Amino acid sequence: LSTCERFTAHAAETVNQDSVQPTQTQIDELRQRVDELQSRVDSLVHNRLPAKVEFCGEIVPQDRIHVRERLDKELTLISHRQFALYIKRSTYKYFPYIEKRLKEWGMPDCLKYVAVIESAMLPNALSTARAYGMWQFIPSTGRHYGLRSGAGMDERANFEKATDAALTYLWDNCQLFKKLGAKNCWPLAMASYNAGEAAVEKAVRQQKMADFYNLWLPAEETRQYIY
């Protein structure tokens, strides 16, 4: 049996064991869950794009050719071995705290993946640009968001403090782009996390476009970052 068939059989068996006649609503919900599971299986096993991708509370516009091509490229380049390592690091060790803080602040759960793309969730990661820690703060931005360093200590490597600083930085970026007319400011806030808010703000103002998926950003790394 396929994964989805086993899931359906198990659900049906559970209903029969409980001697409960499922309502049409329950049947429809089960079908939806099976369809979603099948979409995920196809994506992981066959490297196919899911029919619908939601990111930070917004449906990603796959009907735009350049968006779908970039998504497809990133999915194709995923290393399943590396992906498994990310899951192992995140599930028990780091994501619970990040998810808790995001929920408390009313921010999208998707933002936790910034830590994955920045450092592969390594608290002592150091880049050639002197960005340090899981959230990859450069010294000046770290100081601006209250992360102290010196005398043998560097709070950029402090997971909880750096997480709170990163979420504050993302929040500030989002408010900036809301003022510039963005309906969904989070993709722009994340792009700013990579390129700096000044560069993304300049592009938004020059192009009069506050929608990430229609905005052209000069740096290839930043254009790739969200996908």
Side-chain angles (χ1 to χ4, degrees):
L1 290 175
S2 69
T3 303
C4 291
E5 287 172 333
R6 289 199 301 271
F7 177 83
T8 307
H10 173 72
E13 183 182 348
T14 301
V15 170
N16 291 333
Q17 286 176 351
D18 293 341
S19 300
V20 175
Q21 184 65 34
T23 65
Q24 187 59 47
T25 300
Q26 290 173 321
I27 292 172
D28 290 342
E29 289 177 352
L30 179 59
R31 284 174 177 162
Q32 182 179 350
R33 291 172 65 188
V34 170
D35 288 344
E36 290 174 354
L37 181 59
Q38 184 65 63
S39 179
R40 293 180 184 181
V41 169
D42 286 345
S43 301
L44 291 172
V45 176
H46 305 294
N47 273 31
R48 295 175 186 162
L49 284 174
K52 183 174 74 172
V53 178
E54 184 177 327
F55 185 67
C56 288
E58 177 182 37
I59 301 300
V60 177
Q62 294 188 62
D63 56 314
R64 302 176 196 175
I65 294 175
H66 71 282
V67 172
R68 186 169 184 82
E69 284 181 345
R70 281 191 170 275
L71 269 176
D72 190 48
K73 175 184 175 183
E74 294 307 318
L75 183 64
T76 302
L77 293 176
I78 284 176
S79 163
H80 286 207
R81 181 178 297 178
Q82 189 67 28
F83 193 70
L85 183 59
Y86 293 158
I87 291 173
K88 182 172 276 191
R89 286 178 187 160
S90 66
T91 304
Y92 304 108
K93 199 169 185 181
Y94 298 120
F95 274 3
Y97 179 80
I98 300 172
E99 290 165 352
K100 174 175 175 288
R101 297 300 280 159
L102 287 168
K103 187 174 182 179
E104 289 172 352
W105 294 14
M107 298 168 69
D109 187 71
C110 298
L111 297 176
K112 64 191 178 188
Y113 297 112
V114 171
V116 180
I117 192 171
E118 284 290 334
S119 67
M121 289 172 294
L122 296 172
N124 295 307
L126 178 65
S127 78
T128 54
R130 296 176 61 215
Y132 184 51
M134 183 179 297
W135 293 95
Q136 289 290 280
F137 278 102
I138 60 173
S140 58
T141 308
R143 286 192 297 271
H144 181 75
Y145 283 94
L147 299 176
R148 299 173 299 166
S149 61
M153 58 86 83
D154 193 331
E155 290 184 336
R156 292 179 295 168
N158 182 305
F159 167 61
E160 293 184 358
K161 289 184 178 181
T163 296
D164 287 355
L167 300 191
T168 303
Y169 184 26
L170 286 163
W171 176 269
D172 288 348
N173 287 342
C174 187
Q175 303 317 302
L176 167 64
F177 294 110
K178 271 186 179 179
K179 293 176 182 177
L180 294 176
K183 291 182 179 179
N184 187 347
C185 57
W186 295 112
L188 291 169
M190 293 175 71
S192 298
Y193 199 99
N194 175 258
E197 61 274 21
V200 180
E201 180 183 2
K202 180 179 179 181
V204 168
R205 290 186 182 278
Q206 287 182 338
Q207 298 171 44
K208 295 181 173 56
M209 174 55 62
D211 173 14
F212 170 79
Y213 297 105
N214 277 325
L215 186 70
W216 189 86
L217 294 166
E220 171 61 25
E221 180 182 313
T222 308
R223 295 198 298 271
Q224 179 187 13
Y225 188 81
I226 302 298
Y227 297 98

